[in-house]
Amino acid sequence: MSMNLTLKIWRQPDASSAGAMHTYQLADVSPDMSFLEMLDVLNEQLNDKGEDPIAFDHDCREGICGSCGLMINGDAHGPEVTTTCQLHMRSFKDGETITIEPWRADAFPVVKDLIVDRSAFDRIVQQGGYISVNTGSAPEAHSVPVPRDDALRAFNVATCIGCGACVAACPNGSASLFMGAKITHLGELPQGQPERDSRVVNMVAQHDHEGFGGCTNIGACTAACPKEIPLDVISQLNKDLRTAIRHGH
Amino acid sequence: MDMPDTVSAAEASASGFLDGDYDDAAGYYTPGTPLVDTKAPEGPIAERWQNRKFEARLVNPSNRRKLSIIIVGTGLAGASAAATLGEAGYNVKSFCYQDSPRRAHSIAAQGGINAAKNYKEDGDSVHRLFYDTVKGGDYRSRESNVYRLAEVSTNIIDQCVAQGVPFAREYGGLLDNRSFGGVQVSRTFYARGQTGQQLLIGAYQALERQVAAGTVSTYTRHEMLELITVDGKARGIIARDMVTGAVETHLADVVVLASGGYGNVFYLSTNAMGCNVTAAWRAHRKGAYMANPCYTQIHPTCIPVSGSHQSKLTLMSESLRNDGRIWVPKNQADCDKDPRDIPEEDRDYYLERIYPSFGNLVPRDIASRAAKNVCDEGRGVGPEVDGVRRGVYLDFSAAIERLGKKGITEKYDNLFDMYERITGENPFEVPMRIYPAVHYVMGGLWVDYDLQSTIPGLFVTGEANFSDHGANRLGASALMQGLADGYFVLPHTIRDYLADGPFEEITEDHPAVVEARESVKGRIDHFLSVNGTRSVDSYHRELGNIMWEYCGMERTETGLKKAIDLIRSLKDDFYRNVKVLGGAQTLNQSLEKAGRVADFFELGELMCIDALNRRESCGGHFRGESQTEDGEALRHDDEYAYVAAWEWAGEDSIPVLHKEDLVYTAIEMKQRSYK
């Protein structure tokens, strides 16, 4: 049942050094291992041999924190619709060669090996990805009913985990899906209306400032999204932006 | 370090230390003076928090920006506190080891958050939530704190809704509630199976809003490695920039630890890989007492281990036990057979057999312990790992017959998919396999009513403190506590402390600061210089096995003493034989893990000593020596109705035990019964 694999992995000591692909052989891989557990096993072997283990981001390993993210054979998070941590080795074949790279995008510079810097996402959120309500100033929760369908739609797009797969998959390196998800989540709710115009204008400005590319409706983002955020959040983003500009923003 | 407050044998006897016939932990600890003042206000329980808020001194708004606050951790308890204190105008520094505050492990909580809104008009109230929480904690929590938790629970829901947290709603547009964890009222608010994520994103957005406003600075990919104390007060931290390796000094007027729980001492748990005890443990070594460290919650329905490569465990909602029937083969010889080929008469539905009235719905700890027992007997199922099969069947075939495949799909939504993704088995065709896993720790740093530790100026919130859940935590209460502490409790109590500030200015060359920084560098250099033969992970795994075997669901005097010996020798070997490659001035994940595992060794030993001292079965814990004739848990309120607060006494000394008696004025102590 166990598999033998050839792994081609991007190694880069730090942000300022050049990187290169390195080839490793890994034997006796169980199909029940997660992809990251497979890398753990490789790292144990590297450590035993005195070679620096491969650095990669990961934390919850249950598909929710958004830390992990690898380009696997050219696909963000690999061949299944899920996060890298929830991908299992049974999705691969004995004897296969697997190419493993960090997210590819100018706005996500490599930190080391397979780790990239996604702090640009936090800076986009700082520019309006919230509802301004200080602690203690909230009205009674039932004072504003929210139609169930709106609440459902808000929830469905709020499931974004900020992993960055959308950016990595996009040929333009655009973060429009990430941004559209937040714009739609808050824009669907009555609480999000007062800041709706300024939110979209400021977030888009920060997005462009960070060096993310524009959206040309390719749809690779939504195909790579482990949470299946729909492409129409980008339509919502564009519509809100248009409306805000019409309002004089 | 000051000399610990210990007492003589005669005083110990007088203060109740040597009551009863046993002191299993004799020789492993020194009796200390009792903890008398918890700063809990007097008066009727319903008025205590109002009184405390009024009595806590105010800080003039113009003075707030001159006061600096360090907050370690950005989960619910940390992010909410950072956002709220930033809004108030304080100068806040927020630290997390992840690359973004949004990734803290609160994000993984599935079920929901309790609040005494009584929207269902089903008899809920602040008092009932208080009562259920104290009872659920098996009367081992502090009643004043728990009452306050129940009281502010309603504000949390208002706050989160206003932030845009997309809770589940009914057709009329109002919030939906469900009943959770066996309570009889519906008070749990939820966002499908991702409540933790949605609440954390709300707190994270509030935090980032303050970053933009300039009141909060975030330090991501930073790990706190030491607490700085000056003249007995917490005045800052030493943190390592995990990208550059720089050892940085951060000074402040007050330090808040919101650094989460230490379930990863068991190696395998449902915690995130990076969750660790280092921030809390470093504070403990500087004088903060650690309370009830042995109180661990073990969840019965996790996906079992598939091999020695296993790195973490995944929880599945306990609601699965509503329809699934739990069994193992009667005969060991059947354990590796296809379960579908095992005839009905050869199956042992052991929970239904032992607990006919509750059956598969017995409380978490009982279901967990029974599963471990049948596997230890050699009747477990699934892959054999290290010679044992650790799994039991959770069989839905009867429910599928009754409700149809569609009915089951509607009811359990994505759980069946999740199980299939991880195991590769379709639970509609083959019974699920489950096994218990460590999920949450109720123990943590001791805090008073103000959430202040025994070090002045060090406050502790969320899972990192011990205060609200006693010996067992109710479902949907972890999220409630994290947000209660961060949004509504700490911001009031911390101002009373800060009213005396700003404190005397200290610089980076203060001897206490230099000492803290040098000790961190010394530890780092040591780990990198050992150059032994074993990886950090291999030590961590071995420590986890010891903890699981002897300090898990069922504990005995013999087992715990054995565990302490094993941990001591493993720790010794670790310091002499660990192999950490790479350098200090770079991103080095092995080095990060080495520091965490080193602290887990010391914590693990203290957990065993705490468990040894507590010769009673209570909450989620079963002491083999304390059971009824029927083999059920037996609590001893006469001897153990106290908080065990442990003081670090130095590298080569045994810890000092301080007891805080638990007194209940608003509630009557009762023994649990489920027969």
Side-chain angles (χ1 to χ4, degrees), chain A:
Chain A
M1 281 295 279
S2 75
M3 303 184 283
N4 296 322
L5 301 169
T6 301
L7 304 168
K8 293 187 168 175
I9 302 179
W10 182 261
R11 302 299 309 262
Q12 182 175 335
D14 53 52
S16 53
S17 308
M21 299 299 285
H22 287 233
T23 304
Y24 303 92
Q25 301 297 330
L26 190 61
D28 294 328
V29 175
S30 155
D32 288 328
M33 284 177 188
S34 70
F35 198 83
L36 299 183
E37 285 169 347
M38 181 274 292
L39 289 178
D40 292 341
V41 171
L42 175 63
N43 274 344
E44 280 286 304
Q45 294 180 9
L46 291 178
N47 196 72
D48 286 347
K49 285 192 283 186
E51 286 180 48
D52 199 18
I54 297 153
F56 58 92
D57 262 332
H58 63 102
D59 205 20
C60 79
R61 295 204 178 188
E62 48 188 280
I64 197 77
C65 76
S67 293
C68 67
L70 302 172
M71 296 302 283
I72 299 166
N73 290 335
D75 291 326
H77 290 307
E80 315 275 345
V81 181
T82 189
T83 55
T84 303
C85 64
Q86 291 292 288
L87 178 66
H88 283 71
M89 296 315 293
R90 65 183 77 91
S91 297
F92 299 88
K93 290 190 288 288
D94 184 28
E96 196 171 336
T97 297
I98 305 174
T99 308
I100 307 169
E101 298 162 87
W103 280 165
R104 302 166 179 163
D106 276 355
F108 289 161
V110 172
V111 175
K112 181 179 181 180
D113 293 341
L114 302 171
I115 296 181
V116 298
D117 178 357
R118 288 171 289 194
S119 55
F121 272 10
D122 291 334
R123 291 188 293 273
I124 291 175
V125 172
Q126 284 160 22
Q127 293 310 311
Y130 48 74
I131 289 167
S132 296
V133 49
N134 283 3
T135 301
S137 60
E140 192 341 281
H142 268 178
S143 59
V144 185
V146 180
R148 194 166 178 269
D149 287 349
D150 295 355
L152 267 178
R153 165 103 167 133
F155 174 84
N156 285 335
V157 297
T159 57
C160 167
I161 57 174
C163 65
C166 47
V167 177
C170 177
N172 305 335
S174 173
S176 292
L177 194 75
F178 167 78
M179 216 170 18
K182 188 50 60 194
I183 294 292
T184 308
H185 161 207
L186 300 178
E188 284 290 342
L189 299 171
Q191 296 89 330
Q193 299 315 309
E195 296 165 290
R196 190 165 178 172
D197 287 355
S198 59
R199 176 180 305 123
V200 67
V201 170
N202 294 335
M203 286 177 77
V204 168
Q206 187 67 30
H207 169 273
D208 296 354
H209 175 74
E210 295 287 350
F212 293 104
C215 173
T216 51
N217 288 319
I218 295 165
C221 51
T222 196
C225 177
K227 299 295 158 184
E228 302 178 77
I229 304 290
L231 196 58
D232 65 2
V233 298
I234 301 180
S235 315
Q236 183 75 56
L237 168 74
N238 289 331
K239 185 174 170 222
D240 278 18
L241 185 61
R242 208 163 51 234
T243 308
I245 290 167
R246 203 182 309 125
H247 289 166
H249 275 275

